[in-house]
Structures are given as structure tokens and as C-alpha cells.
Amino acid sequence: MKRRRFRELGIASSGFEAGPANAITDVAGVRVGQITLIKGKGALKPGKGPVRTGITVILPHGGNLYQEKVRAAVHTINGFGKAVGFEQVREVGLIESPIALTNTLNVGLVMDALVQHAIRRNPEIRSFNAVVGETNDGYLNDIQGRHVKAEHVWKAIDMASSGVVEEGAVGAGTGTVCFGWKGGIGTASRVIPGALGSFRLGALVQSNFGRPSDLMIGGARVGRLIKPEVQRDRTREGSVMIVLATDAPLDARQLGRLCVRAGAGLARTGANFSHGSGDFVIAFSTANRIPQAPMARIGKIDMLMDEAPVIDGLFQAVIESVEEAVLNSLTCTETMVGRDGHTAQALPLELLLDILRREGLET
Amino acid sequence: MKRRRFRELGIASSGFEAGPANAITDVAGVRVGQITLIKGKGALKPGKGPVRTGITVILPHGGNLYQEKVRAAVHTINGFGKAVGFEQVREVGLIESPIALTNTLNVGLVMDALVQHAIRRNPEIRSFNAVVGETNDGYLNDIQGRHVKAEHVWKAIDMASSGVVEEGAVGAGTGTVCFGWKGGIGTASRVIPGALGSFRLGALVQSNFGRPSDLMIGGARVGRLIKPEVQRDRTREGSVMIVLATDAPLDARQLGRLCVRAGAGLARTGANFSHGSGDFVIAFSTANRIPQAPMARIGKIDMLMDEAPVIDGLFQAVIESVEEAVLNSLTCTETMVGRDGHTAQALPLELLLDILRREGLET
Amino acid sequence: MKRRRFRELGIASSGFEAGPANAITDVAGVRVGQITLIKGKGALKPGKGPVRTGITVILPHGGNLYQEKVRAAVHTINGFGKAVGFEQVREVGLIESPIALTNTLNVGLVMDALVQHAIRRNPEIRSFNAVVGETNDGYLNDIQGRHVKAEHVWKAIDMASSGVVEEGAVGAGTGTVCFGWKGGIGTASRVIPGALGSFRLGALVQSNFGRPSDLMIGGARVGRLIKPEVQRDRTREGSVMIVLATDAPLDARQLGRLCVRAGAGLARTGANFSHGSGDFVIAFSTANRIPQAPMARIGKIDMLMDEAPVIDGLFQAVIESVEEAVLNSLTCTETMVGRDGHTAQALPLELLLDILRREGLET
Amino acid sequence: MKRRRFRELGIASSGFEAGPANAITDVAGVRVGQITLIKGKGALKPGKGPVRTGITVILPHGGNLYQEKVRAAVHTINGFGKAVGFEQVREVGLIESPIALTNTLNVGLVMDALVQHAIRRNPEIRSFNAVVGETNDGYLNDIQGRHVKAEHVWKAIDMASSGVVEEGAVGAGTGTVCFGWKGGIGTASRVIPGALGSFRLGALVQSNFGRPSDLMIGGARVGRLIKPEVQRDRTREGSVMIVLATDAPLDARQLGRLCVRAGAGLARTGANFSHGSGDFVIAFSTANRIPQAPMARIGKIDMLMDEAPVIDGLFQAVIESVEEAVLNSLTCTETMVGRDGHTAQALPLELLLDILRREGLET
């Protein structure tokens, strides 16, 4: 069966409607760019290859992010990771950088690439808060090689676009493993019902977490019924990065509340938040742009009232989008063979459908 | 069908073995005491009744807790609640008080009752950090009446015992509502396999959260198939208190990591962590007792290494125990009629079994 | 020399101008009410007396605080304390209660008094987040007696007024000790210069911290030159509560940044933030009122831009106000004799002036 | 007058004794290595120079830090900075990397250099948590040039030694400015009195913060009396990194408590923690080494009891060491002329002595 997005399997869905692309790019202005690096095969030669990695960038809008920042929050579910830029986002509640996802040992180089990019666009710059997340693709990839170079980052930014987002073994998801299967990039979105304001919320994940036996899909304990042929305890190197975007006018505190709910979406896929898993969430709102050099001391800001029921709608949208984004990362990807012949099998869709049918989950 | 604990329904379980009582009291030394207050019926007369509330206390050990403290941590999933004592637990990583659960407006009186109790046992005391949690039972109970008095708290402490814990509409769970059904007190435990150290972990919950449509049991979306006859959006007054106990030698930082995983257990029952829900976790370890007046400046402390795989075992135990404790709170309770004839129906076990059988979850 | 406020000693001051009352009440709408409880003398009879305690309440405005909340933040410098209401303030960024200050063992009763008060004013209420802070006055006061009763709290709220705030051994400061001297309530304010927006910021402290040798005034190491006759290590029971008010339109994140700077003000008086000291800060802004039941989903909120230099002005105002409020608590109070003849001497103003003159600090 | 350390000016000191080198290296095993980069003069040519920057590394011990980690904590006073590695330190309470200090835009490259260094020493490594801090030296330095290269980082690590630490305009302090004067690297230490355990505590700072008028030395408001000839508002680019080391057996929670007190030390020099200042603290204890691959599941750990008075001694030692380290950074440095002729004058010691003598602070 051809690889496809989860909802194209015909599984009964529920909850809110997805946006037109069912992707983080359903939030107007958000762009995604990805570079996939696949090179060589066979035995690992540290620093040489084989290469199974990449870069994924998420841009909150198409303008100059340093000059026009967006409100943002970050949240750490389990901090065993190397995310960069979190301290300043916590303090000022703003993101001024593309959000870049890469592999664990490549974070420094990607951070530097974002700094160089910001300098080129803003020649006067002397301070810049790059935001980078990572997961560990060392099971398939020559991770010590740090093969994502500045040029890849810049190209990913340049080619970033709205609309359809490629999923599976692409970009920063090229070499990741999720519940023992091939994971990768996944995305999904929800539209809050009109009575609650018609806001949109999208999630993008880089999935690299979970033990085979824990996988749950639509409530079905799939991981107990099918397991990848080659099993390996991925627990202690797993991780997941989650990026949330919305056009609802939220401030940093409210965006932080959204981040917390992303963990509930993960949990519904079977996540245990294991010791060695760096599980991080980054959320931003496109509703208010905050200039680097504000014209006035006081701004008139649109702000969603927490007491309005819409905030619970957004919470639900986060949970649904994150869960579906993880599933998309699993169902869209092909099998990947990496270094030393290490293989991450694609979750077999026929078997999956059988299981879900048996559990009455098919439409 | 007679009310019973979830696993007595014959549903296939998985994961770790439960402890002998499948209760928080499986952790040696832990005691639970509960007083249930049910009085009157009919129209709400604020300050008079009807009364549907109570008190549940958890004692980390049977000695003098102020003199021999236990290591502890607290965690806030969603802070819309009135929990007391959290600041000091965060700072010193210790609990020196019984942990008391009650209703939202009764926290002050219960806190004062714990202070009085500590004074009586420790006549020299001038500072004492009472720990109190709450959920809102105002749908069934005359919550403004603050009917839990000091005598109830003291009696609950005095009668606290190890062994079987009463579940359902008892103690602080007398008037709570969970996924639209009658909730209450629930508990469960797990034994980490011998290869990982045979540690025990137990959870106790006061369940008062969730929308009817969101209820998930063993992955089955039960809430979409059966709903209570009288429905009401409980979202905005819901809450849940979770208490975790273990005999693994964890420090405050590690106990904090356990707390975070409690949220994953909740999420698997369908929790959305809604805006008005105060969702809090308290965890303690019985392994090291820390004296109020230490004999030596430096103690030799047993401490679990995070790198040892056992920490992931404990995380899994938390998730499983919390999930099952919530289910026990639902399956053990009887229907409760409260003020103004408000009714929280017991989750109908026959219907539930039908659903779970259909999904192949029965043993 | 008659007791007086610090700047009435003629010490050269610097920094921003104080507001008209040099008090937290310079922020329009803010009210303070205090009840002082002094009864009996001689030997401590726990539960009977002598009584040297009280209650201080700060009201962000004169209306119904539950119906019209104010933006707020809390911050814990050292968490060895029993502050109440912090979790919900952190989550929703709002205060809906008078802020009450009392003694350590009286927090439960004061919390309950605030709940009762809220019920009376809002008969429909089922959830209410009382905010209470405390320090330990057990050196002078029969602290086990918990002599602050609900009536005292209610009376303090009823009599709360704008304008001059009584300082020294009054209200919640009746029995406190600071740097070995009699401490108490102190307040101060600053007006941010017009070019930065003419905002006002006020601080009120309940001072009960510090070792005699550490006292610094205007930079002078006063504590090394004069010491109270009766010395006692107050370190391990000390604490301080700080309340900040401003009319600048800040959100919860920004108010949290103000709270952090309060610690710098304390440090300039010699604070060490000792192990047993509960050092907490609560800040609110009167600029935007947030209704319990908002009319619209989205509000137009005034918000100060962090990038505008005014935020640094507010930080400086916090530091200056907190420092001066602590000094006022020391210079305004009379000597207090409490239980068991325990005495907290008033800081002798003549000696203090001599020292400050020698250091060239006099105007 | 020849540049010298603050206490060599003959100012009366007080508090605890300093260690033999009055430096962070007084904590046995701790090593410091620095590379100073000074090249070119005249007009700024971004990417070319002039160069006024460098790297300072602090090694908790001389062994393989990845294989034998140390307990650690981090703390953010004001998060407007680009510190790297904080999330994982918070989660696991360990540092496994040299702590590197550099300039704001150089963090990515330095992070990558630490990763490369760890790979060389540990060929099996697939995950590594580099710890990097920074301040902004862009007033003197061609900061966009990111002139600190991997070779500089590695050389600084290789040459790191115990004993005397060079201070002033060296290493990561080469181009920094503090209270309008030339700042830089400073260090100091304290020995806790024998009755409290004879533990040692050392601080190292990279000082780059503060407005000229705010400088306080020994309580004297020096900044109001002397000001640098060339004044510039440094506030909005300032920052400070503080590293604390101790041989007291503290866990991560306790080390976090030490970090909080570093802010009090800063405040006594006049710090305002301004909006654009990234003020961060990193603390570690050398007392327990935690292996990457522990032999046993449970370790016997030495742990200081919080209740023992020694914790307050450590707090005091932090405050004193941080204050003196900042002063040393000011009194040790020479004047530095940087890009575009920008000049950071050395604080004139004769004038300073005059002021301190007038205030009676000379010995």
C-alpha cells in the first residue's frame, strides 16, 4: 500500500475539522522548509557517513523575523536535550528567528548558521536569539559527522513555503525512529469551530521517541500486536520536538499553556517521556507582531480572554494535532536503511489497517 | 452489576504487576485515612447543605512526619487550583505534613486543622508546612458550607491505615464528578520488576475532571459511545489531585520527574487539562527519612542513579498507576444524588463491559 | 528622637522621585488596611498569649476584586514559607482576592476568612483563589495561638484606604524582627520620569529577615557598627513578604520580571536569603481590569513594550522602593516587648544618624 | 597605580576568609583556561575586526567530564541571553562538559567545538550536552566576526590549570564593559569556617553589565562620584555570566539555591538586571562524581543536610565571592581600545581609593 497520511487510511476521525492542508502551514503566513541529506551506505565511518539527516525550518511569517517578532513560549516535558534559545524566549515571550530542527550533535553549527543568516539580513545586529531543536538520529545516521552545514540551513529558509508540508523521512526527520518504526516529520492542524472564533492551530513534530510495545493509535494498543522485525531499545536516545502555531491572539503565558497540552497529545500515542528523551515544545502566535524598535511605548494588543471557552478549544486542538502529526510521521515515511545496515522499517499500513478495522476504528 | 475495581471487570491488563493491594498503601508505611460527609438532600441552602464532601489524608509513614520528613516534589500541570504548601516543598524537597485532600473552599480550614495537629504533636513548633490539595465538588455539595471541620481532619489522620483503600464516593471524592460520571477516590500500584529493583510505586487520585465525550478506557473511546443521562459541562470546574508514593530512593529532582509522567497517565483517560481544572501532582519517597534536627552535617543518602534503566520503569509505573487509579474511581463508586437533585451517575459497568468486549479488551 | 520615616532623617537620597505619600497607595486605587493585635505580657502560654501579631491587607482597587481581577505575578526568592494562592496566579496571571499578610501559623484561618468574605460579596461563587503571605513572629508573639480571626481580616478589608499607610509594628508587622531590630510594615514608592511615562510603582514589605551584622543602609555597613543589645540568631525563622503595585500596563510575564528585581532591593539592605527564610514577591498592575465574565472573546489590552526603556525604569523603581520600604519598617517602629520578655529594640535613630553622617550620607 | 586585585587595595574586608588563591580554583580540581584574542584597530569591518574577544573555560575536574559528571544547577536571573545546555542540566542535575564563556554571536561555534572535543575523547558518543554562556562584547569587538574558533576552545581546555586565574581583559572578558568601565573576568573564593565544615566555594564572573551611575563598592556609591569619560548607555547590551564551584556535597536542588544567592552578590555592586542583560548562574559541586555508566543501580551519596547551618554559610560565601569577583574584574583590567576607537577605561584605582578612604573603608 502506498504510503499516505493517517487520515487517508480511512480511519474514523473525530474532534475538530482539520485545516485545508492539515498542516502547520494552515496558520496563515507560516512557512516550512526542509533539506534532506541521504548519502552513502554500509559501515559507519564517523565523520564520513553514511548520512541520513537533514534540516527542517519553520518560519512564523515570511517577513524579517528579527524586525517583526512573534509572541512565543517554550516548554520542556523532559529536558534531556540540547534545545537552544529557550532562556530568552521565556524571558521576553518572543521569537525572532526561524525555528530550526536538526540532529543532536549538529545544533551548534545550525545555531551559527542562523546567526550568520540574521547578520546578513540585519547588518546592524549585535545580539540574536537563534532557536534550534534536535533529536538523535544516530541509529541510522553518522551523527558525529554533523553533516548539516550552514548552506543547508540557508537553503531550507530560502525555499520555505506555505501549503503542503512533506512528511516522513525528510528534513530533520530523515534519520529518526519512533516506537521502533521509521519516524520523521509529521504535521496536522485544526480549525476551532466558528462559535469559538474560527482560529487555526497547527502542529509539526520531529518524531524520534517511544518503545515498540507502547505504540497506540486511536486508542488501539498497536504496539502489542505488531512490532518491527529488528527491534532495539530506542528509549534512551529518543526525543521529540513539537512546534505549535496559531493565529489566535495569545500572549506568552497562554502559549505556554498550549505547550503543556502537547504532552497529552504525545501521551495518546504511547509516549512515556523516558529518561533520555528530550521532549520539547515551542509555540507561537502570528496574531500580533512585535517590532524590534517599537514606535510607541504602549501597544494596543489583541488578547484572547482565558475565561472565554475558546482557550479549551485551543487546548483540544493542540492535543488532536500533535497526536495526528505523530501518526502522519509514521504512515508517510518509507523504510530507511542507514549506517551499518541499521534499518528502520516503515509501519506496515496493511497490518495497521487490519488492526484498526478489528477494533472498529475504520470509517 | 456490583461496583468493583477496574481490573475485577476482567479486562486484559498489561504492563507491570500490581502490588498486593493494588493501592498506594502497597508502598510500605504509607497510610490513608478518609472521612465521608453525606447529609441532607434537596435544595441547596448555602452554609447548611446538602453535604456531599469529605477528607482524604495520605501519610507517608506512621511516625511523626514533622520530626522525620520524607523527600518530595510537587508539580503543577494546570494551576487553576488552590493547593497549599507547594512553595516550601519545591525549596527544600521535603514533606513534613500529612497530605490532605478536600474541596476547593475548604482548604483554609483543613490547612488550619493540620497546623493544630502538628502543634499538638510537636509543642515546640513555630513553623509548619501543611500540604493540602482540592477539587471542586460544588455540583453535588454545598461547597460554600466548608463542612470539613478540624475534627474530621484529625479523625482521618487517626484512623489512617495501611492495606485496602476505600474507593469511589468516599473522603475527598464524595462529591466529585469525572467525565460527567460520578468520580471520586481511586488508587492503584505497580511493582517494578525484580531485575530493576523490585521497587513499588502507588498512586491515589481525587478525580473530578474531564468532559463526557473524552473518556477513554484501555484506548477505547468510551465517551463517544455512552454518556451520562444528565449532562453538564463539567470542564470549567474540574480538577484532579494525584499523589504518588514510592520506596525507590529518589531525591526531589527525580520525584519531580515522576510527577511529570502522571500527566501522561491522565491523558490516557482522556484528560484535556482544561482552563479551569486544577491539576496537581505530589510525589514522595519513603526510602530516606530526613530528621528535623539532623545529627550530622552530612548524611549518607541512598540515591537511585538516573542512568540506570529503573527510572524508566518508575515512569511507566506512574503512568499505569495513575490511569488505573482514575478508572477505579469511576468503577468503584455508586451514583450520588446531591444538592438540588443534581445527580452524578455511576459509570454503568455492564455497558462498559459491552464496549470493551467489542473492542477485544476483555481477557 | 521621634520615630520617623527613613527619608525624614535627612539622608541624601537619589534615584527617582517618590510619589506623594511615598507609599504603595500612590498607585491610584490601591488600598491598605491593617489590624494590630497586642494583648498581654509575660510568659508564653501557648494559645493564650501574649499576642503581638496582626493582619495587613492590600487591595488592588476598591471594587469587587473577584468580578474585576487585576493582572499579577508571584515570585519565590526562597520558598521556605507558607504563601497561599501562588499556583493559580502563575497559571492565569490574575489576582481576584485581597492580598493578606499574617503570621506563619495563621495562614489557614486567614485564607478561610478571605473565602468567606468572597462568598458574601459573590453569592454564586464556587471557586476563589485567596492570596495570603506570612512571616514568622514567634519570637515575640504566641504564634501557636493563631490570634488573627476572620473578623480581623474582614475589618482590615473594610477599613482599607488609600493615602498614608501606617508603618512599623502594625498589622502583620506587629511582631516581626529585622536584622535583629524591630521590623514591621514599611512602604515606599517611585514615579518613573515623565519621559518614560510617569508611571507609578509602590512597594509594601513585611520585614522579618536578616542577621544583625548584615544590615546595610545606603551602602553603610551599619550592622557591623551597632547591634541590638539582646541578640539572637533570627536567621532561621526570618522571612519577608513584598507586595508591588504599579499603574503601568504590564502583563503577567512582565510583572514577573518586576518581582525578580525586588530581590536586588532586599540585597542592598543586607539580605542573605537564608535557608529558613520565606522570601516571596507578589506584583500586580492596576492598568487593565479583567472581568470574571468577559463580554468579548478578545480584549484590546494596553501593553507596555519591553523594548521601550521604561521597563528598566520600572526595574530601578522596584529596587529603590523595596530598599526604602525595608528601611521605613525599621525607622518607623517603636521597641516591642513580647512573650517571655523577648524584646525587639527599635533601631536607634541617633546612632544611625551618627553613622550615616560619618559616611557622608547626610544631606 | 599598577592594576591589582581589589583586596590588594587595602580595603577593609569582612566576612569569611578567602581561599589561598582567592579564586574559583581554590576548589580542588577545578581548572580554568583562557585564550585572549586581540587583533587590529580602527574602524569596524564586520567579519574582519578589530578583534577584542576570547574564550574562558572552567573544568570541574581534570578527568573526562563526560565519563565522570558532576552535580550541577543553572539559574536564570534575567533570560535575555543565549546560554546553551541549560535544559539538560535542569533535568538531570549534571554537567558533563567544560563550561565555556564567549561572546553572544560566537555561542554556536563554541558549542560545536565542545561537541567535537567530546567526540575525540569519547569516540562512542552520540549525545553530549555542551554548556556555553556569553555576554555581548560588541562595543569593542567585531562581534559579527565570531572570531573564537574551535582551535581556541580546544587550546583553552588543554591549557586549563588550577592555581592563579588571570583576571581583567582576558579570555571571554577581553571585550566586556561593566558599569561603563572596562570589565572582564574576575574571580574570588571563600572558605566556610571549620565549625561549619571548612568547605570551599569559588566564583568566576564575566562582567559586562551595569550603568555607570549605579556602581557600588563596599557600599560606597562610587558611580555617583566618578564616571568614565566616554559614557554610553551599556544597559541594553549588558550581561553577566557567573560560575560557582564548591566542594560541599550538594545536590542539584541545593546548588540551585546557591545560584539564587549569586544575584544578591551582584546587587551589592549595583546591578539592576536590566531588560537586555542576560544574567545567568551555573553552579557545580565536585564532591560526588556521577559516572556515565554507573556500576550500581543505587549509589551512596554524601549529602549536606539543609537544616545544618552550613547551608547559610555557603549562601554567604556565594554573595561575598560574587561581589568580590566583579570588583576584581574591574580593578585588574587595563583600559581597552577597540573597534572604531571605542574605549573602555579602566576604573582609576587612585580615585577609587580616595573615595573609599573618605568613606572610611580603607584598612
Side-chain angles (χ1 to χ4, degrees), chain A residues 252-275:
Chain A
R253 179 185 55 77
Q254 293 171 316
L255 287 163
R257 303 184 80 191
L258 259 55
C259 287
V260 170
R261 277 67 190 179
L266 279 185
R268 288 180 194 178
T269 67
N272 262 14
F273 309 124
S274 62
H275 164 66

Side-chain angles (χ1 to χ4, degrees), chain A residues 140-199:
Chain A
L140 296 176
N141 179 44
D142 167 30
I143 192 168
Q144 292 190 350
R146 300 150 25 261
H147 294 283
V148 181
K149 306 301 179 194
E151 291 70 23
H152 302 128
V153 179
W154 302 336
K155 195 168 160 198
I157 295 173
D158 288 344
M159 64 184 281
S161 65
S162 54
V164 172
V165 175
E166 212 183 342
E167 291 167 296
V170 294
T174 304
T176 64
V177 179
C178 190
F179 295 106
W181 305 99
K182 181 72 194 78
I185 297 296
T187 189
S189 73
R190 290 295 183 272
V191 182
I192 312 297
L196 297 176
S198 301
F199 298 116

Side-chain angles (χ1 to χ4, degrees), chain B:
Chain B
M1 192 186 294
K2 193 176 160 301
R3 308 305 295 176
R4 61 192 66 187
R5 308 189 78 191
F6 179 69
R7 61 173 59 200
E8 291 163 8
L9 291 171
I11 305 304
S13 82
S14 63
F16 295 145
E17 294 290 314
N22 192 21
I24 195 170
T25 47
D26 287 329
V27 178
V30 175
R31 284 142 205 253
V32 175
Q34 309 195 72
I35 299 289
T36 304
L37 301 173
I38 298 179
K39 212 173 71 179
K41 56 183 180 178
L44 174 67
K45 292 184 190 148
K48 307 286 190 202
V51 179
R52 300 291 183 276
T53 195
I55 178 91
T56 298
V57 297
I58 299 98
L59 281 61
H61 62 69
N64 184 319
L65 286 160
Y66 179 76
Q67 298 299 338
E68 295 188 281
K69 308 175 202 292
V70 292
R71 288 184 187 279
V74 292
H75 176 63
T76 298
I77 303 174
N78 191 56
F80 201 110
K82 286 75 188 170
V84 159
F86 276 29
E87 296 306 314
Q88 188 161 326
V89 176
R90 285 200 183 97
E91 186 72 36
V92 298
L94 299 172
I95 280 183
E96 63 186 19
S97 160
I99 299 161
L101 307 179
T102 186
N103 74 57
T104 308
L105 299 185
N106 223 138
V107 172
L109 289 180
V110 170
M111 183 188 191
D112 188 62
L114 291 174
V115 168
Q116 290 185 61
H117 186 263
I119 291 172
R120 275 210 305 273
R121 291 222 181 160
N122 307 280
E124 77 291 359
I125 221 168
R126 297 219 298 257
S127 178
F128 178 71
N129 190 49
V131 176
V132 188
E134 53 79 29
T135 71
N136 196 309
D137 57 16
Y139 180 64
L140 296 175
N141 179 45
D142 167 29
I143 193 168
Q144 293 190 348
R146 298 148 27 260
H147 294 283
V148 181
K149 307 300 179 193
E151 292 70 22
H152 302 129
V153 178
W154 302 337
K155 195 169 161 198
I157 295 173
D158 289 344
M159 65 184 281
S161 66
S162 54
V164 172
V165 175
E166 211 182 342
E167 292 168 296
V170 294
T174 304
T176 64
V177 180
C178 189
F179 295 106
W181 305 98
K182 180 71 194 80
I185 298 296
T187 188
S189 74
R190 290 295 184 273
V191 182
I192 312 298
L196 297 177
S198 301
F199 298 115
R200 289 180 174 190
L201 183 132
L204 182 146
V205 305
Q206 176 191 22
S207 74
N208 190 43
F209 67 98
R211 293 180 307 181
S213 57
D214 290 335
L215 177 60
M216 283 170 57
I217 296 185
R221 308 267 172 172
V222 171
R224 296 180 190 157
L225 301 168
I226 51 170
K227 291 206 168 61
E229 280 155 40
V230 184
Q231 287 188 47
R232 205 179 61 90
D233 184 357
R234 295 282 314 158
T235 301
R236 303 189 73 83
E237 285 188 345
S239 282
V240 62
M241 291 297 312
I242 302 174
V243 180
L244 304 173
T246 185
D247 54 8
L250 305 182
D251 69 10
R253 178 185 55 77
Q254 293 170 317
L255 288 162
R257 304 184 81 192
L258 260 55
C259 288
V260 170
R261 277 67 189 179
L266 280 184
R268 288 180 193 178
T269 67
N272 262 14
F273 310 124
S274 62
H275 164 66
S277 190
D279 303 334
F280 298 100
V281 194
I282 300 168
F284 61 86
S285 162
T286 59
N288 293 289
R289 294 196 189 174
I290 309 296
Q292 163 68 10
M295 304 292 287
R297 180 184 298 143
I298 294 180
K300 282 272 177 212
I301 299 287
D302 278 343
M303 183 181 156
L304 190 79
M305 298 285 106
D306 295 70
E307 286 302 325
V310 61
I311 196 101
D312 282 330
L314 288 165
F315 291 170
Q316 181 181 333
V318 169
I319 296 174
E320 291 180 16
S321 297
V322 169
E323 180 179 2
E324 187 167 338
V326 171
L327 299 184
N328 282 337
S329 78
L330 289 163
T331 61
C332 289
T333 184
E334 305 281 350
T335 292
M336 176 70 74
V337 183
R339 59 112 167 161
D340 296 322
H342 285 183
T343 301
Q345 265 185 277
L347 181 66
L349 300 186
E350 292 84 354
L351 279 176
L352 176 63
L353 262 178
D354 279 354
I355 293 169
L356 299 180
R357 266 181 206 134
R358 248 183 291 149
E359 307 230 354
L361 290 168
E362 202 194 11
T363 309

Side-chain angles (χ1 to χ4, degrees), chain D:
Chain D
M1 191 186 295
K2 193 176 161 299
R3 308 306 296 175
R4 60 192 67 187
R5 307 189 79 192
F6 178 69
R7 61 173 59 202
E8 292 163 8
L9 292 171
I11 306 304
S13 83
S14 64
F16 294 145
E17 294 289 315
N22 192 21
I24 195 171
T25 48
D26 286 330
V27 178
V30 175
R31 285 143 203 251
V32 175
Q34 309 195 71
I35 299 288
T36 304
L37 300 173
I38 298 179
K39 213 174 69 179
K41 56 184 180 177
L44 173 68
K45 293 185 190 146
K48 307 286 189 201
V51 180
R52 299 289 184 276
T53 195
I55 178 91
T56 298
V57 297
I58 299 99
L59 280 61
H61 62 68
N64 185 319
L65 286 160
Y66 179 76
Q67 298 299 339
E68 295 187 281
K69 308 175 202 291
V70 293
R71 288 184 188 280
V74 292
H75 175 62
T76 298
I77 302 174
N78 191 56
F80 201 110
K82 287 74 186 169
V84 158
F86 276 30
E87 296 306 313
Q88 188 161 326
V89 176
R90 286 200 183 98
E91 187 70 37
V92 298
L94 299 173
I95 280 183
E96 63 186 18
S97 160
I99 300 161
L101 307 179
T102 186
N103 75 58
T104 308
L105 298 185
N106 223 139
V107 171
L109 289 181
V110 170
M111 183 189 190
D112 188 63
L114 291 175
V115 168
Q116 290 185 59
H117 185 264
I119 290 173
R120 276 210 304 272
R121 289 220 182 161
N122 308 278
E124 78 290 0
I125 221 169
R126 296 221 296 258
S127 178
F128 177 71
N129 190 48
V131 176
V132 188
E134 52 79 28
T135 71
N136 195 311
D137 56 18
Y139 180 64
L140 296 176
N141 179 44
D142 166 30
I143 193 168
Q144 291 190 351
R146 298 148 28 259
H147 294 283
V148 181
K149 306 301 179 193
E151 292 70 22
H152 302 130
V153 178
W154 302 335
K155 194 168 162 198
I157 294 174
D158 288 344
M159 65 184 280
S161 66
S162 54
V164 172
V165 174
E166 212 183 342
E167 292 167 295
V170 294
T174 303
T176 63
V177 179
C178 189
F179 295 107
W181 305 100
K182 180 70 194 79
I185 297 297
T187 189
S189 74
R190 290 295 184 273
V191 182
I192 313 297
L196 296 176
S198 301
F199 298 116
R200 289 180 175 191
L201 184 132
L204 182 146
V205 305
Q206 177 192 22
S207 73
N208 191 43
F209 67 99
R211 292 180 309 180
S213 56
D214 289 336
L215 176 60
M216 283 169 59
I217 295 186
R221 307 269 172 170
V222 171
R224 295 182 192 155
L225 302 169
I226 50 171
K227 292 206 167 60
E229 279 155 41
V230 183
Q231 285 189 49
R232 204 179 62 91
D233 185 358
R234 295 284 313 160
T235 300
R236 301 188 75 83
E237 284 188 345
S239 281
V240 63
M241 291 297 311
I242 301 174
V243 180
L244 303 174
T246 184
D247 54 8
L250 305 182
D251 69 11
R253 178 185 54 77
Q254 293 171 317
L255 287 163
R257 303 183 81 192
L258 259 56
C259 289
V260 171
R261 276 69 189 179
L266 278 186
R268 288 179 193 178
T269 67
N272 261 14
F273 309 125
S274 62
H275 164 66
S277 189
D279 303 334
F280 298 99
V281 194
I282 300 167
F284 61 84
S285 161
T286 59
N288 293 289
R289 294 196 188 174
I290 309 297
Q292 163 67 10
M295 304 293 287
R297 178 184 297 142
I298 294 180
K300 282 271 176 212
I301 299 287
D302 278 342
M303 183 183 155
L304 190 80
M305 298 286 106
D306 296 70
E307 286 301 325
V310 60
I311 196 102
D312 283 330
L314 288 164
F315 291 170
Q316 181 182 334
V318 169
I319 297 174
E320 292 179 17
S321 298
V322 169
E323 181 180 1
E324 187 167 338
V326 171
L327 299 184
N328 282 337
S329 79
L330 289 164
T331 61
C332 289
T333 186
E334 306 280 350
T335 293
M336 176 69 75
V337 183
R339 59 110 169 160
D340 296 322
H342 284 184
T343 300
Q345 265 185 277
L347 182 66
L349 300 187
E350 291 85 352
L351 279 176
L352 176 63
L353 261 178
D354 279 354
I355 294 170
L356 300 180
R357 266 182 206 133
R358 249 182 291 148
E359 307 230 353
L361 288 168
E362 200 193 12
T363 309

